[in-house]
Amino acid sequence: EHCQCFPQESTKMRIKLAQVLIRDRQRPVAALRVLEEIPAGALPADLESTRQKLASKAKRMLEEGVLELEGDD
C-alpha cells in the first residue's frame, strides 16, 4: 500500500518487499515484478547491488522449479 501511495519514496520499501517475497513467501515472480517497478538509476550503488542479488535469487528459484499460484497477491 505504501508503494502505491508514495511511489517516489518507495524504492527502499520495494527492496524490502522483494526480500520478504523471496525469503519468507517463496514468491519469485511477485518479487521480480516489485523489483521491475524501481526506476533505473533510482538506487544508490549499495541498494542496486542488493536489487541485482535479489533478482538473481528470484530467477534461480524459478529455474529450480519453485511454483507460484496466480492470484496469490
Side-chain angles (χ1 to χ4, degrees):
E1 192 172 310
H2 173 80
C3 295
Q4 292 173 341
C5 292
F6 306 102
Q8 301 300 336
E9 297 102 27
S10 65
T11 54
K12 289 181 184 179
M13 184 69 71
R14 289 182 196 284
I15 293 289
K16 194 62 170 170
L17 176 58
Q19 186 178 35
V20 169
L21 287 168
I22 291 168
R23 185 189 61 215
D24 300 336
R25 302 292 308 270
Q26 299 290 304
R27 298 200 49 212
V29 173
L32 287 171
R33 258 188 263 136
V34 167
L35 293 172
E36 288 171 358
E37 293 176 6
I38 300 172
L43 297 173
D46 61 329
L47 288 179
E48 182 58 37
S49 173
T50 300
R51 173 167 77 154
Q52 290 174 1
K53 288 177 186 174
L54 288 170
S56 294
K57 171 73 175 167
K59 290 174 185 173
R60 193 169 40 252
M61 289 171 73
L62 290 172
E63 290 170 359
E64 292 171 355
V66 174
L67 296 178
E68 186 172 327
L69 298 176
E70 272 190 59
D72 192 23
D73 288 334

